[in-house]
Amino acid sequence: LFDPVTEKFTPVENKFDDWSKAIFCMAENNDFLWGGSWGGGIKKVDKKSGTYTSINFDEKDQFRNSIFDLELQDSILWVANIEMGLIRYNINNGHQKIYSHSQKIPGFPKERIIDIFIENPNSFWISTDGAGLFHFNPLTETIENISSKYPISGNIIQSVVTDSNNNLWIASISGISYINQKTGNCYNFDKNNGLLNNQLNKSAIFFDKIDNLIYTGGVEGVNYFNPSEISVDSSSNKVI
């Protein structure tokens, strides 16, 4: 835990019998911090005392107890469980609902969920490891395969953000894809357009609303750009 006033870190004491030191994601409110681990479920840390409790989904199966992303929306913690799918977890009463590939939701991806981006309460963007990008509406509980609709670069999607014009910027291991949600146009960018490397990292894309800049983190460093200044040449060359 980091105190911005004293600028000091305080380690969270852990029990080696149930703690995974590999933490992939975090979410927080005023009182608690939730950390998604590999094989150790979710660690709920009390910010005042520094103590934690474990939220396990299956202690006997490390994959069903591994978390790749957490997003807190009021009293609901959305959990990207590697094996089980998307979990809607109520932090007040512990009630959970699982969304996965099934007869009820046949269009839900079978592949593991890497990242969850909440655009608004009724619009979630789900990045997957091999199935591409999906759009999920938690109100209607409907899901749409975006990668089958647009020529997005690659099927291993690392993360998504929207800019000030509500355009989608999609980070994958094959570069960046841009979708204009108004026109439906999709464009792909890679090393030929200035990226340091095509392989971007998990959850390593961020939109700075103040400076209107998008930052991306890849295996060879960081790129940043102003999405409003990106010009796309959509003209086609004539065949001679």
Side-chain angles (χ1 to χ4, degrees), residues 191 196-197 199 201 217-222:
K191 285 185 67 175
L196 293 172
N197 190 285
Q199 186 173 341
N201 291 323
V219 297
E220 293 186 14
V222 176

Side-chain angles (χ1 to χ4, degrees), residues 1-49:
L1 299 176
F2 178 72
D3 188 331
V5 177
T6 62
E7 297 185 348
K8 292 183 178 180
F9 286 93
T10 302
V12 177
E13 294 185 8
N14 59 81
K15 304 171 186 176
F16 289 98
D17 59 342
D18 75 340
W19 178 271
S20 171
K21 290 187 177 180
I23 302 297
F24 287 94
C25 52
M26 292 186 292
E28 67 173 334
N29 61 14
N30 292 331
D31 301 314
F32 297 98
L33 173 73
W34 290 265
S37 74
W38 178 269
I42 299 173
K43 304 305 177 184
K44 179 183 177 182
V45 182
D46 187 310
K47 289 184 176 181
K48 292 182 179 179
S49 66

Side-chain angles (χ1 to χ4, degrees), residues 81-86 99-103 105-113 126 128-132 134 143 145:
N81 183 293
I82 287 180
E83 187 72 19
M84 298 173 67
L86 180 66
Y99 299 91
S100 61
H101 182 82
S102 62
Q103 291 183 344
I105 316 178
F108 209 91
K110 297 179 182 178
E111 289 76 6
R112 65 179 55 174
I113 297 173
I126 297 177
T128 72
D129 185 10
F134 287 77
I143 194 161
N145 187 334

Side-chain angles (χ1 to χ4, degrees), residues 176-211:
I176 298 175
S177 296
Y178 155 76
I179 296 177
N180 186 313
Q181 295 197 77
K182 294 180 180 179
T183 65
N185 293 329
C186 177
Y187 304 97
N188 297 314
F189 305 93
D190 55 26
K191 285 185 67 175
N192 296 321
N193 306 109
L195 288 180
L196 293 172
N197 190 285
N198 290 342
Q199 186 173 341
L200 302 180
N201 291 323
K202 175 191 175 304
S203 303
I205 186 168
F206 172 74
F207 176 54
D208 181 347
K209 297 180 181 179
I210 297 176
D211 294 326

Side-chain angles (χ1 to χ4, degrees), residues 29-87:
N29 61 14
N30 292 331
D31 301 314
F32 297 98
L33 173 73
W34 290 265
S37 74
W38 178 269
I42 299 173
K43 304 305 177 184
K44 179 183 177 182
V45 182
D46 187 310
K47 289 184 176 181
K48 292 182 179 179
S49 66
T51 58
Y52 76 91
T53 55
S54 296
I55 302 171
N56 292 300
F57 299 97
D58 191 339
E59 294 182 76
K60 297 180 180 180
D61 189 323
Q62 66 169 331
F63 296 104
R64 290 171 60 86
N65 214 28
S66 294
I67 312 302
F68 257 11
D69 197 20
L70 294 171
E71 294 293 335
L72 184 62
Q73 186 184 42
D74 299 323
S75 63
I76 302 300
L77 187 64
W78 291 95
V79 182
N81 183 293
I82 287 180
E83 187 72 19
M84 298 173 67
L86 180 66
I87 300 176

Side-chain angles (χ1 to χ4, degrees), residues 117-120 123 125 160-169 178-183 207 212 227-228:
F117 173 68
I118 300 179
E119 182 181 9
N120 60 60
S123 180
W125 298 95
V160 175
V161 294
T162 53
D163 62 23
S164 56
N165 293 316
N166 204 38
N167 298 312
L168 280 176
W169 293 90
Y178 155 76
I179 296 177
N180 186 313
Q181 295 197 77
K182 294 180 180 179
T183 65
F207 176 54
N212 196 43
S228 301

